[in-house]
Amino acid sequence: MYISYDYYRVFYYVAKYKSISQAAKQLLQNQPNLSKTIQNLESALDCTLFIRNRHGVTLTPEGEKLYSHIKIAFEHIEAGEEEISLEKSLQQGIVSVGVTEVALHCVLLPILKQYRARHPAIKIHITNHSTPQATEALKNGLLDFALVTTPTVKSSSITEKVIKPINEVAICSKAYSELLEPKIPFTKLQDYPIILLGSSTKTYERYSNIFKSHGISFDPTIEAATTDQILPMVKADLGIGFIPEDMIKKEDDVYKIDLLEKIPERYICLIKRKEDSLSVAAKELERLIVSKQSFTIMT
């Protein structure tokens, strides 16, 4: 039996939207033509496929059987079309991403390597931001999306996805060997110089709250401009630092302080504007970031 592909295409859209008028909008055709096509298909198959009512149409048992097969076929066709379109679109484009240093080292760098290998023609603009700076740049339309660390800046125009939990640790050099004993109380840290990011950052705010929760004063001796500066300062015996455990390498010659009370977990989040749709290139990078993380995503 030969039946035109166009007949099945019209049937699929009418069944999908349960409405001839909605299908007509999707197919850029008029309703009478679609109604005629459905009649021709029903005549060719010698059965009724739809029951018309004032709310639209519903499938008959025969229509349900046909739709279960047609749906699979058209979903495969649409997936193939989308894949080809995606490949063509990814031959050019620019993606602008804001990122905190922690998010760069703990999430983005290995994914960028994979993305560049797959899509070498795409230009990528990476800007180094604190969480508040990234949020503001996003609001102003300067970024496609950003990867930031919590605590985030809440906004009604921004949506968040939790990408990965981060375990932060206190570190020191051998100059503070007395802190290398097991189970050091957090309160003991107030007796030592503290190295932390500057007061305009969410990290500063976070540790201010952590110190206060332990009932001790918070007054960093050194405020670093970037997270990358903390590690060499600790190695130079300048004080106690706090960095993600993932950023410490064996050759760094620093030591984790075994704190009695664990530092509260924080997270890396992907943030973007709610109302804006991403370009194909940006959407593909977002997909890679999300798919590479096993942590449950939260909106």
Side-chain angles (χ1 to χ4, degrees), residues 23-43:
K25 289 179 182 178
Q26 293 295 319
L27 294 170
L28 302 178
Q29 296 187 32
N30 61 53
Q31 293 185 48
N33 282 348
L34 263 63
S35 295
K36 181 64 176 175
T37 298
I38 292 298
Q39 290 174 7
N40 290 341
L41 179 60
E42 289 177 328
S43 176

Side-chain angles (χ1 to χ4, degrees), residues 170-182 184 188-195 221-222 230-241 253-258:
I171 58 172
C172 67
S173 66
K174 281 186 178 179
Y176 302 97
S177 58
E178 67 274 17
L179 291 176
L180 301 181
E181 298 292 328
I184 299 295
K188 191 173 179 62
L189 298 184
Q190 70 178 329
D191 301 327
Y192 294 86
I194 299 296
I195 305 168
T221 307
I222 299 175
I230 294 176
L231 193 59
M233 288 182 183
V234 171
K235 291 170 67 173
D237 305 332
L238 296 178
I240 310 303
D253 197 28
V254 296
Y255 302 88
K256 289 185 288 184
I257 300 172
D258 181 19

Side-chain angles (χ1 to χ4, degrees), residues 9-294:
R9 185 165 178 260
V10 169
F11 168 79
Y12 169 71
Y13 276 92
V14 173
K16 179 179 180 179
Y17 292 102
K18 297 181 175 60
S19 166
I20 292 176
S21 62
Q22 287 298 319
K25 289 179 182 178
Q26 293 295 319
L27 294 170
L28 302 178
Q29 296 187 32
N30 61 53
Q31 293 185 48
N33 282 348
L34 263 63
S35 295
K36 181 64 176 175
T37 298
I38 292 298
Q39 290 174 7
N40 290 341
L41 179 60
E42 289 177 328
S43 176
L45 295 173
D46 193 23
C47 67
T48 301
L49 299 172
F50 294 102
I51 299 172
R52 282 74 170 172
N53 56 59
R54 61 179 183 175
H55 300 296
V57 297
T58 56
L59 288 164
T60 63
E62 292 83 2
E64 291 280 5
K65 289 179 182 178
L66 181 62
Y67 183 62
S68 67
H69 294 284
I70 295 297
K71 180 174 181 288
I72 294 171
F74 272 87
E75 285 178 349
H76 278 295
I77 292 170
E78 288 175 349
E81 290 174 344
E82 185 175 345
E83 189 173 331
I84 291 171
S85 175
L86 181 64
E87 288 179 356
K88 287 183 178 179
S89 300
L90 288 169
Q91 297 305 308
Q92 59 182 357
I94 300 173
V95 183
S96 295
V97 181
V99 63
T100 63
E101 278 185 281
V102 171
L104 177 68
H105 289 287
C106 296
V107 170
L108 190 58
L109 280 179
I111 290 172
L112 280 180
K113 182 177 180 180
Q114 181 181 357
Y115 185 82
R116 287 286 299 152
R118 292 184 182 182
H119 314 297
I122 301 297
K123 294 182 179 180
I124 305 170
H125 292 172
I126 304 294
T127 51
N128 185 6
H129 287 305
S130 66
T131 296
Q133 289 169 341
T135 304
E136 197 61 29
L138 196 59
K139 287 181 181 178
N140 292 333
L142 301 177
L143 304 172
D144 291 305
F145 60 83
L147 287 167
V148 300
T149 43
T150 56
T152 56
V153 179
K154 301 302 179 183
S155 171
S156 60
S157 64
I158 301 294
T159 184
E160 298 178 17
K161 292 180 182 178
V162 172
I163 297 298
K164 182 179 180 180
I166 295 295
N167 179 38
E168 286 184 319
V169 293
I171 58 172
C172 67
S173 66
K174 281 186 178 179
Y176 302 97
S177 58
E178 67 274 17
L179 291 176
L180 301 181
E181 298 292 328
K183 305 302 177 186
I184 299 295
F186 197 94
T187 53
K188 191 173 179 62
L189 298 184
Q190 70 178 329
D191 301 327
Y192 294 86
I194 299 296
I195 305 168
L196 202 67
L197 291 180
S199 57
S200 63
T201 66
K202 282 291 184 177
T203 297
Y204 187 99
E205 177 186 317
R206 165 179 160 81
Y207 276 94
S208 175
N209 292 331
I210 291 173
F211 272 68
K212 288 175 183 176
S213 71
H214 289 281
I216 55 179
S217 61
F218 177 72
D219 186 21
T221 307
I222 299 175
E223 292 185 18
T226 66
T227 304
D228 280 344
Q229 292 177 351
I230 294 176
L231 193 59
M233 288 182 183
V234 171
K235 291 170 67 173
D237 305 332
L238 296 178
I240 310 303
F242 298 90
I243 65 171
E245 192 169 16
D246 289 354
M247 292 180 68
I248 303 173
K249 300 180 177 64
K250 290 182 179 180
E251 61 271 20
D252 284 331
D253 197 28
V254 296
Y255 302 88
K256 289 185 288 184
I257 300 172
D258 181 19
L259 291 172
L260 183 62
E261 304 91 351
K262 185 179 179 182
I263 297 172
E265 202 168 51
R266 74 193 302 192
Y267 303 92
I268 293 173
C269 294
L270 187 149
I271 61 173
K272 61 182 180 180
R273 293 180 298 278
K274 283 183 179 178
E275 304 302 326
D276 293 359
S277 58
L278 296 176
S279 66
V280 173
K283 192 179 294 183
E284 174 65 5
L285 180 55
E286 179 194 28
R287 185 193 67 78
L288 276 177
I289 291 168
V290 173
S291 67
K292 290 298 179 183
Q293 306 304 322
S294 58

